[in-house]
Amino acid sequence: MSKHQSCLVLNAGSSSLKFSVFRQQAAAGNLNAILTGQISGIGGAARFEAKDADRRQLADHSWDDSEPMPREKLLRFALHWIHEHLVDDEIVAAGHRVVHGGKEISAPLRIDAAAIDALEALVPLAPLHQPHNVAAIRMLAEIYPELSQVACFDTAFHATQPWQARTFALPKELSDEGVCKYGFHGLSYEYVTHSLLAARPELANGRIAICHLGNGSSLCAVQAGESVDTSMSFSALDGVPMGTRCGALDPGVLLYLMREKQMGLEEIEDLLYRRSGLLGVSGISNDMKVLQETDDPDARKAVELFCHRVAREVAAMAAAMEGIDALVFTAGIGENSPAIREMISRRLGWLGVQVDAARNAGRQFEISAADSRIPVFVVPTNEELMIAKHTLAVLNPGVGHA
Ligand code: ADP
């Protein structure tokens, strides 16, 4: 019996490596996730976990942290396990989530030596993420030199933004060398846009504000299917507060910290990326679910601040589009927390947003009240599936994947 052709998707972060395998159902052109998993705790007590399509645990293996396993050995372990486990599948391609494509790369990129150099050159724009993405691509190329690889970018979907949305009010030389807005979560916005427009084709030319609210959060203004503005900008720090990231901050605060507290680069980086956001404000947790289950007044403040800032940003997206025809919630918080959706929507009543309590609690696809001027949707995101689709489309141009 011939094997199924499958696509491996990798999302390599600083301390974790998430993977999924999508099988092509040849006749229908469909892609189904048959395996998902991750290596967590890289650099310390690493753990390998894998689940099947029904979220049943297939593997759970831990290493102690007395002698941390090198990243490459962990990747080799995962690849070997996948190979051994998937006896009916042949991995024909690998797609990678890559955080930054810079100004030039606005589409998925087939990997060769020149492409790896191009991705490496973008490390200064995303020093905390890009090196891990590139390292995974290099390692895979060494382990499986024959395997076709494709890089899919968090920035690419935003390449359609007009210059006003992309440009900081800084001297032109800085903009020209790439100090400008890029935006992230693009694979999520692309997936959610396609998914919404497939279900509601009448919105194809509409103005849609998408709230991607997870550990990392941002918003995107999508007009006629294209990104025209977004809340994250040069780095993944801008916009709304996140689990541990501060969101938009007066740059004067940084000058103050440097001048008055003599804080250096690494201390400031740690403060803005790891000690701020929901964690910083609450002093309790970066996890929205934990904060919502706590009575502590500082936890409530963190949640309120988050909702206040997301609602403000929805209005900013509406201004960028000169109107709004739909509001969408997605990602961990957006998909799973009726209370947060309600708190944000309540602040947007003046804009014509009204959520129906029962639909919202029941997590229906459309959660707006019958008389809401703006329809409100919950659309689950799936960045991995988007990557698998892009990867196979780059390698087999002309073959559609549903
Ligand atoms: P990532 O950005 O790492 O992909 P996710 O999109 O998975 O993150 O989102 C993680 C966030 O979603 C966490 O803050 C988590 O608490 C939150 N979340 C998940 N389920 C719920 C829930 N039922 N209620 C509130 N928050 C939730």
Side-chain angles (χ1 to χ4, degrees):
M1 196 190 88
S2 69
K3 292 192 172 194
H4 298 284
Q5 304 226 311
S6 296
C7 175
L8 173 69
V9 172
L10 290 183
N11 178 359
S14 56
S15 65
S16 73
L17 186 139
K18 295 183 181 145
F19 61 87
S20 349
V21 176
F22 289 85
R23 181 184 284 170
Q24 299 187 72
Q25 305 298 101
N30 278 341
L31 284 169
N32 294 326
I34 52 169
L35 197 65
T36 60
Q38 64 169 354
I39 303 168
S40 54
I42 298 174
R47 182 173 178 190
F48 171 84
E49 292 163 279
K51 292 183 174 151
D52 69 9
D54 300 318
R55 320 272 325 142
R56 275 191 303 253
Q57 187 113 28
L58 298 172
D60 187 353
H61 185 91
S62 295
W63 292 266
D64 67 39
D65 60 356
S66 53
E67 204 182 321
M69 283 279 280
R71 198 174 277 271
E72 188 182 342
K73 280 206 167 149
L74 291 168
L75 179 64
R76 279 184 189 274
F77 179 93
L79 293 173
H80 182 72
W81 186 91
I82 293 168
H83 185 72
E84 294 281 289
H85 185 78
L86 292 182
V87 287
D88 297 332
D89 291 71
E90 184 194 353
I91 304 279
V92 294
H96 295 261
R97 181 174 179 184
V98 176
V99 67
H100 225 299
K103 273 188 163 176
E104 308 300 330
I105 308 174
S106 58
L109 183 67
R110 190 173 186 152
I111 295 296
D112 55 18
I116 294 182
D117 289 345
L119 300 186
E120 192 86 60
L122 295 169
V123 163
L125 293 179
L128 303 183
H129 296 100
Q130 192 89 345
H132 304 296
N133 304 154
V134 178
I137 293 172
R138 276 191 201 285
M139 283 190 272
L140 208 58
E142 270 172 39
I143 300 170
Y144 290 125
E146 303 302 319
L147 186 68
S148 300
Q149 299 194 66
V150 173
C152 302
F153 300 90
D154 273 319
T155 48
F157 185 65
H158 301 297
T160 46
Q161 292 185 0
W163 74 268
Q164 301 94 316
R166 302 209 75 162
T167 311
F168 293 137
L170 284 171
K172 191 173 173 305
E173 312 83 81
L174 280 171
S175 303
D176 290 346
E177 72 166 69
V179 182
C180 60
K181 176 147 115 186
Y182 293 96
F184 301 92
H185 292 137
L187 293 156
S188 172
Y189 292 126
E190 189 178 8
Y191 181 85
V192 168
T193 300
H194 289 180
S195 191
L196 177 68
L197 296 186
R200 290 286 189 279
E202 66 275 17
L203 286 168
N205 288 312
R207 297 159 297 184
I208 306 161
I210 306 177
C211 308
H212 175 109
L213 310 179
N215 262 324
S217 296
S218 71
L219 283 82
C220 186
V222 173
Q223 189 162 5
E226 292 187 341
S227 170
V228 295
D229 209 343
T230 188
S231 64
M232 274 183 177
S233 62
F234 179 71
S235 73
L237 281 176
D238 207 356
V240 296
M242 298 163 233
T244 60
R245 285 174 254 164
C246 57
L249 187 71
D250 176 359
V253 174
L254 306 186
L255 303 180
Y256 172 85
L257 296 175
M258 287 190 273
R259 186 176 290 124
E260 298 300 322
K261 296 193 176 284
Q262 286 78 47
M263 280 174 79
L265 168 71
E266 277 167 18
E267 234 180 321
I268 292 183
E269 193 166 77
D270 186 50
L271 173 76
L272 304 182
Y273 276 96
R274 298 181 201 96
R275 295 197 286 122
S276 298
L278 296 174
L279 175 66
V281 177
S282 70
I284 295 172
S285 176
N286 64 321
D287 189 315
M288 182 59 93
K289 192 159 186 282
V290 171
L291 295 180
Q292 289 188 279
E293 288 164 356
T294 313
D295 259 345
D296 186 282
D298 287 336
R300 273 209 302 279
K301 271 192 175 167
V303 174
E304 287 220 355
L305 179 57
F306 178 82
C307 295
H308 169 77
R309 293 278 293 274
V310 173
R312 267 181 46 149
E313 212 62 52
V314 171
M317 295 301 114
M321 298 184 285
E322 299 184 28
I324 177 168
D325 301 309
L327 176 64
V328 178
F329 290 99
T330 191
I333 301 171
E335 292 168 32
N336 296 306
S337 178
I340 298 289
R341 293 195 295 262
E342 204 276 326
M343 285 169 73
I344 294 167
S345 302
R346 199 169 356 107
R347 287 170 164 80
L348 295 168
W350 60 275
L351 199 57
V353 171
Q354 274 198 43
V355 155
D356 178 88
R359 286 184 191 165
N360 186 30
R363 199 197 151 167
Q364 295 194 5
F365 171 64
E366 186 163 355
I367 59 166
S368 35
D371 56 350
S372 180
R373 201 172 64 72
I374 313 285
V376 184
F377 301 95
V378 179
V379 181
T381 193
N382 195 338
E383 289 150 306
E384 290 75 20
L385 178 54
M386 197 71 240
I387 293 169
K389 285 183 179 188
H390 276 314
T391 300
L392 295 170
V394 166
L395 300 175
N396 312 296
V399 181
H401 289 95

